[in-house]
Amino acid sequence: MSLYEPTRFGALNLSNRVVMAPLTRTRATEDGVPTDIMVEYYRQRAGQGLIVTEGTWPVAEGKSYPGQPGLVTDEQIAGWRRIADAVHAAGGTIVMQLMHGGRVSHPDITGADRVVAPSALAAPGQTRTPKGKADMPVAHALAEDEIPTVIEQFVQQARAAVAAGLDGVEVHGANGYLVHEFLSPVSNVREDAYGGSPENRARFAVEVTRAVADAIGADRTGIRLSPQHNIQGVLEEDDADARATYTALAEGLAPLGLAFVDVLSAAPTGDLVQHIRRTVGAPLVLNSGFGSPTTRDEAERLVDDGWAEAVAVGRPVIANPDLVSRWQQDAELNAPRPELFYGSTAEGYTDYPTLDEVRAAV
């Protein structure tokens, strides 16, 4: 098995095993509509075997950041159709990350009168709103009879993604957002069927993923997890509890026949990640680069040595739209410009040169 070999995840055809990780870039309009520069950004990166889009909200209440795109309105759907068409024309495969931000938000960002979460707790720290920095608000704890509505929001977004021409979806169950908030005993202090035991805390993630898979096909559905990432107040510091929780989640996902499971972890070859892989039984996409960028050698080793079927890469893909070609040639890389990762213009977004352009300029 080689990083540069094609493969198939369910209904998804990958020309190689380098996956563009979901990357927040905040280039949508104020109303969450994809822009012309977003079309170009994704088109440029179609050489990765699979593109996972930036986290995209299923309802305004689930929007976490100004400039984050949505997939609810006709205008948003049309914008994503342009992106999907551009990626396909360039030979790529693209899935949408379905992201409800949960308590990681603010009414000044969403225009809604509340943020929601499993429990009435605030995420730590502050966030940037159009009006400036603000403390994270205390969330509205979703009542048990409100949960089916939230699940349906994910389902409708998944259907819209397929209608817009994307090849599939990834449920965002990582990084401290809504689905992940249910998994942690620190952010989820419920005492009903969705809280308490590891099995109950895993229930929401399983139900969302099952509902999405039922709606568009499990062969077009993946999920992203970040076990024990301990981010945004979603803490999983008890090893035994984390293993029990992710075992319950993996056992709940296993019967679905998902296209892939995408795991962000600083210990990608560790027991917990590989246990999740074995239990779910779906192709594994590994992402080890949250603390530091994934290198060519690491990505090749993870696939060549059989730790994963593919590797998700973030910052190197931001800076090198033709990353796969560069890695295959062991060629020089552009340096990322992190001060421009978030913004509203093409600078630091679509102006990174390809290898051919770099060499032609010498």
Side-chain angles (χ1 to χ4, degrees):
M1 193 161 60
S2 163
L3 186 66
Y4 308 111
E5 289 177 354
T7 189
R8 186 175 176 91
F9 292 171
L12 309 173
N13 290 310
L14 282 65
S15 59
N16 56 71
R17 297 164 186 262
V18 179
V19 174
M20 177 174 162
L23 297 159
T24 300
R25 303 301 305 277
T26 65
R27 258 67 173 193
T29 69
E30 184 179 340
D31 296 329
V33 178
T35 55
D36 290 346
I37 58 171
M38 288 176 62
V39 176
E40 176 63 8
Y41 169 76
Y42 284 109
R43 184 202 65 77
Q44 289 176 348
R45 288 157 181 79
Q48 273 58 243
L50 177 66
I51 291 173
V52 183
T53 73
E54 60 210 280
T56 304
W57 40 272
V59 61
E61 195 172 73
K63 178 181 179 181
S64 287
Y65 307 107
Q68 183 187 6
L71 188 63
V72 181
T73 68
D74 290 344
E75 292 80 10
Q76 291 164 354
I77 293 170
W80 281 110
R81 184 174 294 111
R82 293 172 59 219
I83 290 172
D85 288 348
V87 169
H88 292 153
T93 300
I94 182 169
V95 299
M96 172 164 288
Q97 188 181 68
L98 313 180
M99 175 184 155
H100 191 306
R103 67 184 189 174
V104 183
S105 188
H106 193 281
D108 289 345
I109 294 172
T110 65
D113 59 2
R114 66 180 191 176
V115 300
V116 301
S119 300
L121 301 168
Q126 294 185 314
T127 189
R128 289 185 180 275
T129 81
K131 299 178 181 178
K133 285 190 174 182
D135 291 338
M136 293 288 197
V138 174
H140 164 75
L142 287 164
E144 197 164 352
D145 62 2
E146 292 178 298
I147 288 177
T149 298
V150 178
I151 294 173
E152 182 61 21
Q153 290 164 352
F154 280 92
V155 168
Q156 291 304 318
Q157 186 186 16
R159 288 186 172 133
V162 172
L166 285 93
D167 299 296
V169 303
E170 174 183 273
V171 175
H172 196 348
N175 292 13
Y177 301 111
L178 183 64
V179 175
H180 196 193
E181 290 162 13
F182 271 89
L183 294 172
S184 163
V186 174
S187 51
N188 178 354
V189 295
R190 302 172 73 97
E191 297 179 351
D192 61 6
Y194 291 90
S197 69
E199 294 77 13
N200 282 358
R201 283 184 273 116
R203 186 185 308 274
F204 181 71
V206 173
E207 290 184 354
V208 167
T209 310
R210 182 191 301 127
V212 167
D214 286 347
I216 67 165
D219 60 349
R220 297 186 182 278
T221 302
I223 185 171
R224 171 164 264 225
L225 306 172
S226 59
Q228 296 194 283
H229 191 29
N230 298 326
I231 190 171
Q232 301 197 116
V234 178
L235 305 181
E236 298 165 319
E237 296 174 311
D238 183 309
D239 291 347
D241 183 85
R243 186 178 178 88
T245 302
Y246 282 91
T247 296
L249 173 56
E251 289 175 348
L253 298 175
L256 303 182
L258 296 178
F260 63 93
V261 59
D262 177 3
V263 179
L264 171 66
S265 175
T269 65
D271 178 66
L272 179 57
V273 172
Q274 295 299 316
H275 172 65
I276 293 169
R277 177 194 192 185
R278 291 189 299 270
T279 306
V280 176
L284 176 65
V285 179
L286 275 181
N287 188 180
S288 64
F290 199 89
S292 60
T294 301
T295 65
R296 171 181 178 266
D297 288 348
E298 181 185 11
E300 290 181 346
R301 178 179 55 80
L302 288 171
V303 172
D304 291 352
D305 292 351
W307 294 108
E309 280 70 37
V311 174
V313 184
R315 279 159 286 184
V317 176
I318 289 178
N320 300 275
D322 56 344
L323 181 71
V324 174
S325 176
R326 288 175 186 253
W327 273 2
Q328 284 183 291
Q329 299 176 58
D330 196 15
E332 63 269 28
L333 300 181
N334 298 323
R337 290 171 280 166
E339 71 278 9
L340 299 172
F341 282 174
Y342 310 104
S344 58
T345 70
E347 187 182 8
Y349 190 59
T350 57
D351 60 352
Y352 286 103
T354 65
L355 183 61
D356 287 345
E357 290 169 340
V358 170
R359 289 177 173 173
V362 175

